[in-house]
Amino acid sequence: MSRKILLINPWIYDFAAYDFWMKPLGLLYLGALLRKNNHQVAFIDCLDPYHPQMMKENLKTPRRYASGNGKFFRQIIPTPDPLKMFERSYCRYGVSPEVFKDELQNHRNTDIVLITSMMTYWYPGVFEAIRIIKDLLPHIPVVLGGKYATLCYEHAIQYSGADYVIVGAGEKPILDILQKIFGDKPSFVPDNDDLDSRPYPAFDLIHHVDQLPLITSSGCPYRCSYCASHIFHDRFRRRDPIKVVDEIEYWQKKTRVVNFSFYDDALLVKPEEMIIPLLHEIRKRNLYCHFHCPNGLHLREINEELSNLLFHSGFKTIRFGFETSDFSRQLQTGGKVKNEELRSAVLHLKNAGYQTKDLGIYLLCGTPGQTAEEVRNSIDFVQKCGAKPVLAEYSPIPGTKMWSDAVAASSFDIQGEPLYHNNSLLPCRNEDFSYAVYRDLKQKLKNNF
Ligand code: B12
Ligand code: SF4
């Protein structure tokens, strides 16, 4: 039987949040799958920066850019007790609770609610949404999935208020839940090993499309000690690059969108298998696109051919994961890149036409045992290579190799309270690397660029 299913992308509660091409891709993949199983799917996006009711009520609409990034609506809210010692405004990013409640009233006859989650430390926004749903639609089952639900399963079971908490990929579990609750046998189950067997995400549910996310793979062949990729995906799987271009062309024809963001963990790995054929096909079909990669790309693969291809195919925002120039830490954390590889990659990218400001190099700050000097040296090294250092504060993640070091290094109870995973806290910094030193480094970089 056809069920009415409501998807919810909850608020972000944090000290800071910026829309770096963010969309609830996993949730919208599930929406498409459920439609393919003949269910009716609706969507409430608490993060919608173009929400019509908010636009009407709010004189100050969030500043947005033509490439699809920008600010969210924002309201200052009380800081949760565990974070009170941190003197910054704590905010709800997204629509107001009143707007959310109004939207929910239109879905009183829904059969089940699916809510997603991202950063572990954003759980208060998820809980608030669930609390309101339970208030207004008390008898409707609520299923919680996504990153927080996977990484902090016990916490989510105990405190979220959801009826079901799902770990990992949601495709099979959600069909199982529908069968368990309503007795609905699935008519279509995607092949877990064939990412192209999934229907395209239900992007038509987004009412104002300014950019769309793409994913060409799941997982990553590397195992960096600070990263959770292997917890979500047991191995690296890829789509057929030609089918990815079919999808790009499909969305472009349907929505006229130009900006696309890649959410892959390892887009550039083995370029001959994915990015090279993909970009050649884009050019063959004469598609005009701008690509954005806010998630770190691999530097190791960059050579003359790939640099030219990226530059001439509309790769506008590119960020690379470099993390540190300290050789022993590079080895300890997984060895995904070496200093020489950064130097050579920047040379190729600049020869292709990129400028320093285009080449953002992520440096991981505040990992256990890291000194301020290591970060300074890394900044210097990136600048000497001719690229732009971008500081990324380390967020400790349960289940990663670095977790036990993070627990030992942190003065916060990161095991008991996911709010302390917040990267803004630099939760694993040590005496040597104070907030003042960090702020100073950040300010200097800001002044430079
Ligand atoms: C793309 C990405 C981003 C994007 C935004 C993504 C978005 N959706 O908005 C950008 C680049 C902005 C970003 C930023 C950051 N990110 Co990030 N990001 C990712 C990444 C690579 C992929 C997420 C994704 O969308 N995957 C694709 C979709 C298809 O999968 P999915 O969402 O998981 O959905 C599936 C399941 O989760 C499940 N599911 C999802 N929802 C639901 C709902 C229900 C009901 C059910 C049943 C199932 C279900 O089913 C889906 C389909 O199978 C992950 C790593 C990873 N491999 O997952 C890190 C990750 C989530 N990010 C992480 C981090 C650390 C960050 C940053 C803090 C980095 C930094 N230091 O600056 C920033 C923070 C941003 C901020 N403060 O504003 C960490 C999480 C940390 C934490 N403590 O939670 C991760 C895990 C990476 C890591 N280091 O291991 N990120
Ligand atoms: S290369 Fe990137 S995605 Fe892969 S394990 Fe390392 S940090 Fe994670």
Side-chain angles (χ1 to χ4, degrees):
M1 202 180 143
S2 175
R3 305 286 160 194
K4 291 192 174 62
I5 299 177
L6 177 59
L7 310 179
I8 295 190
N9 186 31
W11 293 288
I12 295 173
Y13 279 29
D14 203 339
F15 297 106
Y18 184 81
D19 181 4
F20 284 110
W21 297 277
M22 291 172 73
K23 290 277 180 283
L25 180 58
L27 187 68
L28 295 175
Y29 260 120
L30 295 185
L33 171 68
L34 293 167
R35 271 184 179 159
K36 192 143 178 157
N37 277 280
N38 301 317
H39 300 296
Q40 296 168 51
V41 179
F43 175 47
I44 301 180
D45 185 1
C46 291
L47 294 181
D48 185 355
Y50 303 97
H51 196 287
Q53 207 175 323
M54 290 294 287
M55 301 292 247
K56 252 190 260 160
E57 287 172 14
N58 250 279
L59 291 175
K60 198 163 178 256
T61 51
R63 184 162 184 192
R64 305 288 304 171
Y65 295 93
S67 54
N69 57 332
K71 292 192 175 179
F72 294 115
F73 287 105
R74 169 180 177 269
Q75 297 151 297
I76 296 179
I77 54 169
T79 307
D81 284 342
L83 299 177
K84 281 244 157 73
M85 72 308 202
F86 206 59
E87 286 166 8
R88 275 176 74 175
S89 317
Y90 195 72
C91 300
R92 175 194 301 112
Y93 291 90
V95 303
S96 65
E98 293 68 38
V99 167
F100 179 58
K101 285 179 195 163
D102 281 356
E103 282 232 40
L104 272 181
Q105 300 290 0
N106 300 329
H107 297 284
R108 287 200 157 273
N109 62 352
T110 201
D111 293 306
I112 186 165
V113 172
L114 271 55
I115 180 163
T116 191
S117 60
M118 257 300 268
M119 301 299 146
T120 53
Y121 47 87
W122 288 349
Y123 77 79
V126 180
F127 286 14
E128 181 61 4
I130 296 176
R131 197 189 58 71
I132 295 174
I133 297 162
K134 285 287 174 193
D135 225 29
L136 294 184
L137 316 173
H139 306 297
I140 298 183
V142 173
V143 187
L144 167 64
K147 303 296 175 208
Y148 156 74
T150 301
L151 295 169
C152 300
Y153 176 74
E154 298 297 335
H155 188 271
I157 287 277
Q158 210 174 337
Y159 303 113
S160 70
D163 300 287
Y164 299 86
V165 178
I166 301 299
V167 168
E171 281 77 1
K172 193 164 177 310
I174 197 61
L175 295 174
D176 289 347
I177 286 179
L178 291 179
Q179 183 154 11
K180 186 171 155 195
I181 303 181
F182 305 111
D184 296 337
K185 275 212 163 114
S187 55
F188 171 79
V189 183
D191 174 357
N192 191 28
D193 283 321
D194 176 8
L195 296 178
D196 286 307
S197 70
R198 300 189 291 194
Y200 296 159
F203 288 149
D204 56 292
L205 293 171
I206 303 172
H207 80 264
H208 180 118
V209 171
D210 55 1
Q211 66 92 12
L212 288 176
L214 298 166
I215 194 147
T216 73
S217 61
S218 66
C220 176
Y222 292 90
R223 284 282 181 280
C224 300
S225 57
Y226 42 81
C227 176
S229 178
H230 68 282
I231 301 173
F232 305 118
H233 310 284
D234 55 349
R235 63 190 174 82
F236 186 43
R237 294 175 178 81
R238 280 190 137 152
R239 296 175 61 185
D240 174 344
I242 303 304
K243 292 194 174 150
V244 178
V245 181
D246 289 343
E247 184 184 348
I248 293 173
E249 189 170 16
Y250 172 84
W251 290 121
Q252 201 154 62
K253 283 205 173 121
K254 205 172 157 81
T255 67
R256 307 169 73 94
V257 68
V258 169
N259 292 288
F260 293 92
S261 50
F262 282 106
Y263 278 12
D264 294 65
D265 283 327
L267 179 67
L268 299 190
V269 163
K270 294 202 178 153
E272 67 288 354
E273 284 180 7
M274 178 56 69
I275 197 70
I276 294 178
L278 186 154
L279 294 181
H280 281 305
E281 186 65 19
I282 295 257
R283 298 179 79 180
K284 196 169 113 197
R285 296 193 201 179
N286 233 341
L287 301 176
Y288 178 75
C289 304
H290 287 180
F291 295 111
H292 307 279
C293 305
N295 208 23
L297 296 169
H298 288 87
L299 278 159
R300 181 167 282 173
E301 318 292 346
I302 299 289
N303 56 19
E304 186 183 343
E305 181 199 359
L306 187 52
S307 301
N308 283 319
L309 198 55
L310 293 175
F311 186 78
H312 294 289
S313 309
F315 269 73
K316 298 289 175 195
T317 313
I318 43 177
R319 296 275 182 275
F320 292 97
F322 180 60
E323 325 306 358
T324 177
S325 64
D326 183 285
F327 181 61
S328 59
R329 197 175 298 275
Q330 286 171 351
L331 282 187
Q332 269 168 27
T333 53
K336 74 175 173 188
V337 65
K338 296 196 195 78
N339 289 359
E340 230 2 85
E341 289 163 338
L342 173 65
R343 207 175 274 136
S344 123
V346 173
L347 266 177
H348 288 306
L349 289 159
K350 287 206 152 164
N351 286 339
Y354 286 107
Q355 298 174 22
T356 305
K357 67 171 175 45
D358 304 323
L359 302 175
I361 308 293
Y362 283 132
L363 296 174
L364 203 51
C365 286
T367 49
Q370 192 183 40
T371 59
E373 195 193 358
E374 181 189 320
V375 179
R376 274 195 209 99
N377 289 343
S378 302
I379 293 175
D380 283 352
F381 180 74
V382 171
Q383 285 180 330
K384 279 192 188 119
C385 289
K388 177 176 129 178
V390 179
L391 301 186
E393 305 94 347
Y394 169 61
S395 164
I397 310 178
T400 54
K401 276 195 219 147
M402 200 177 264
W403 178 247
S404 52
D405 289 348
V407 171
S410 185
S411 57
F412 299 104
D413 175 19
I414 59 173
Q415 292 195 91
E417 178 48 83
L419 286 173
Y420 293 133
H421 305 170
N422 194 316
N423 61 336
S424 297
L425 297 177
L426 288 171
C428 299
R429 71 190 168 78
N430 51 41
E431 295 289 297
D432 180 69
F433 194 27
S434 64
Y435 289 128
V437 170
Y438 176 73
R439 273 196 299 268
D440 186 49
L441 288 177
K442 200 142 187 155
Q443 192 55 45
K444 274 193 187 130
L445 285 179
K446 214 172 162 189
N447 297 344
N448 279 355
F449 292 94

